[in-house]
Structure formats: C-alpha cells, structure tokens
Amino acid sequence: MTKNYFSIIALICCTLLYSCADEKKENKTPKDTEKAVKKETVKDTGPAFGIDISAYQGDEVAMLNNEDTSLKFIICKATQGETYVDPKFAYNWKTTQEKGFIRGAYHFFMSKDDPLKQAKLFVSTIEKLNPTDIPPIIDIEFEGIDTSQPVQDIQGNALKLLQIIESILKVTPIIYTNNDFANDYLVNPEFARYPLWIADYDSKKTPMLPKTWQEKGYVFWQKTDTYELADYKDDADVFNGDVESLKAFIKNSRK
C-alpha cells in the first residue's frame, strides 16, 4: 500500500512536469514565430544595397545567394568604348537574373570614340532590357577622357551617347560619375535630366553632390570600393530608398 502510494505520487509529479514543459513550449512558439517573421522581412526594409561587378571579380556572382545575403541588386559591366565587351558580361547578366537579384548593366564611356558606335555596341551586347532591369548606366569618369579634347566636345559626345541609348531602349539612362570629374566636365545643365549614380567614398550619412545635380539629388551612391564579399573586394552601392522604391524607380524610368 505505501509503495503504491509513492508510485501514484511520483506519477502525478511527472504528469505536472510534462504539462508545465508543454505550456512553456506553447508560450514560446509565438515569440519564435515573430522573430522568424522579423528575420524574413528585415531584408526588405531600409535602403536597398548592391554591388557592381566586371570580369575583374571573376566568378563572384556564382557564390552569391539571394536568400542569404542583404544584397538586392547587381550591376554588371557590359561594354567600353566602340569595341570592348566585358568577357564575363553574358555569364554575369544571366546568372544575376537566375539568382533572383535585380540587375543592371553599364557602359564605360570613351570620349574619343564615336557615340553612335558605342551605343550600338552596348545595346547589341545587352540585347534587351526586361521591365524589371535597372535602366542602363553610362560610366563617365577621368579614365575614359582624352584631355586633349575640349570640354565642350567631351560633353557633346557624352550627351549624344545618352540620347541615342535613350531613343533605342525607351528608358532614361543613369550617369555614373564622381564629384571632381562632374564639376570639371559634366557642367552642361542637360546632364541633370539623367539620374545620378555618385561615387563618393566619404563615410557620411549622405554623399556630396556635383553642382549639376545639387537640386535633383542622387539615385545610387557608391559608398566604398573596398567592400569584402565572398572572398572578393567590391564596390558597395546603395539605392536612395528601399526595395519597393527601387522597383518603382525602374518602372517610372520607362518611356
């Protein structure tokens, strides 16, 4: 009788312990679910981050996964001047889309090359832009300039290139540049109608802007050229808005 009594007491205690454990587990589940939801949604809040790549980075894009990275967009170098096609462009362009990133393509402007030939090379290389692709970017900086040319000629050729690409692709191109160059060479007010991707590596809350874009502002900001990702060093870029704002900008850039 005494033995049975203690057995019954032990059974009751065990039942109570399991009941408390189950209740604790049930109480914990909603909090865990809430944390999981926050973890899933936090990637889509705040500024949209991205990188720009070329053959210089090798197969970096193959190592990136849209599900476990904060990156939202990748911009691929396509062409330069009249004849150069980045040897990794076709692969980067295709793989970026397959991995679910928002993608964009850029052309490196050479001031002495014919604007029409440059535009045709760029357009034929990218073949077409999808409605979800970032507008074409024209990289205009010191490395592509022949300083023996008058500033007016350089500006004229750059504007022709932008206008031809805009006419063919029915989308407003973006200008990539930096402050020093823009304040010397991109002083024609016509450039202000094109969205700005500014390279400014100062650690500030907002970038310094060239005179031409003081009122209009910037769209993309290249904040550093030494961002480490997937064992590579990259340029790190940020869109001036969140992911939904980036998608709206892409949509509104179409003609």
Side-chain angles (χ1 to χ4, degrees):
M1 180 72 177
T2 304
K3 186 175 180 180
N4 290 337
Y5 174 78
F6 283 113
S7 297
I8 292 169
I9 293 297
L11 180 60
I12 292 171
C13 289
C14 288
T15 303
L16 288 172
L17 285 171
Y18 279 117
S19 176
C20 289
D22 287 342
E23 185 179 352
K24 189 175 181 181
K25 186 177 180 181
E26 288 174 5
N27 290 336
K28 188 177 178 181
T29 302
K31 292 181 181 179
D32 287 348
T33 303
E34 184 180 350
K35 287 179 181 177
V37 170
K38 284 183 178 179
K39 188 175 181 181
E40 281 298 310
T41 58
V42 73
K43 295 189 294 183
D44 291 332
T45 61
F49 291 94
I51 56 172
D52 49 285
I53 61 174
S54 66
Y56 178 78
Q57 279 81 29
D59 291 334
E60 178 181 10
V61 71
M63 303 177 68
L64 302 178
N65 188 329
N66 192 27
E67 294 179 357
D68 58 15
T69 180
S70 60
L71 298 178
K72 292 302 174 185
F73 63 87
I74 297 176
I75 298 172
C76 313
K77 180 174 183 178
T79 51
Q80 178 170 328
E82 295 178 355
T83 59
Y84 179 83
V85 177
D86 188 282
K88 278 288 181 182
F89 174 73
Y91 172 79
N92 288 338
W93 190 237
K94 179 173 178 286
T95 307
T96 294
Q97 184 178 44
E98 289 175 346
K99 286 179 173 274
F101 293 102
I102 298 171
R103 67 180 185 175
Y106 75 91
H107 171 81
F108 193 92
F109 171 72
M110 302 298 290
S111 69
K112 286 201 75 173
D113 287 357
D114 180 78
L116 178 58
K117 290 181 179 178
Q118 292 190 66
K120 285 183 175 180
L121 176 66
F122 178 68
V123 172
S124 64
T125 299
I126 64 174
E127 294 183 351
K128 71 171 184 176
L129 285 177
N130 292 332
T132 54
D133 292 335
I134 293 170
I137 299 123
I138 307 303
D139 183 337
I140 312 176
E141 53 184 301
F142 285 113
E143 287 78 0
I145 300 305
D146 183 337
T147 55
S148 68
Q149 287 180 281
V151 173
Q152 292 81 358
D153 290 353
I154 293 170
Q155 290 189 115
N157 284 345
L159 282 169
K160 283 180 185 176
L161 175 60
L162 290 160
Q163 291 161 0
I164 293 168
I165 289 175
E166 185 172 12
S167 175
I168 296 173
L169 296 177
K170 308 302 180 187
V171 59
T172 305
I174 298 167
I175 293 176
Y176 168 92
T177 193
N178 60 69
N179 282 285
D180 289 342
F181 179 84
N183 287 330
D184 286 346
Y185 288 94
L186 305 182
V187 293
N188 187 323
E190 278 293 306
F191 287 112
R193 67 176 294 269
Y194 297 99
L196 175 66
W197 175 12
I198 185 68
D200 183 18
Y201 301 150
D202 236 338
S203 55
K204 302 183 297 289
K205 289 185 178 179
T206 57
M208 184 183 296
L209 297 179
K211 295 174 184 176
T212 304
W213 284 272
Q214 286 287 329
E215 292 185 10
K216 189 171 182 180
Y218 72 99
V219 176
F220 289 94
W221 175 15
Q222 188 175 93
K223 301 183 73 171
T224 178
D225 59 351
T226 56
Y227 178 67
E228 292 189 6
L229 181 69
D231 296 326
Y232 293 91
K233 283 190 176 180
D234 254 316
D235 297 327
D237 307 291
V238 60
F239 176 74
N240 190 14
D242 59 17
V243 176
E244 291 307 312
S245 298
L246 173 57
K247 291 177 180 177
F249 165 74
I250 292 170
K251 182 179 179 180
N252 294 335
S253 68
R254 268 54 183 178
K255 299 295 183 184

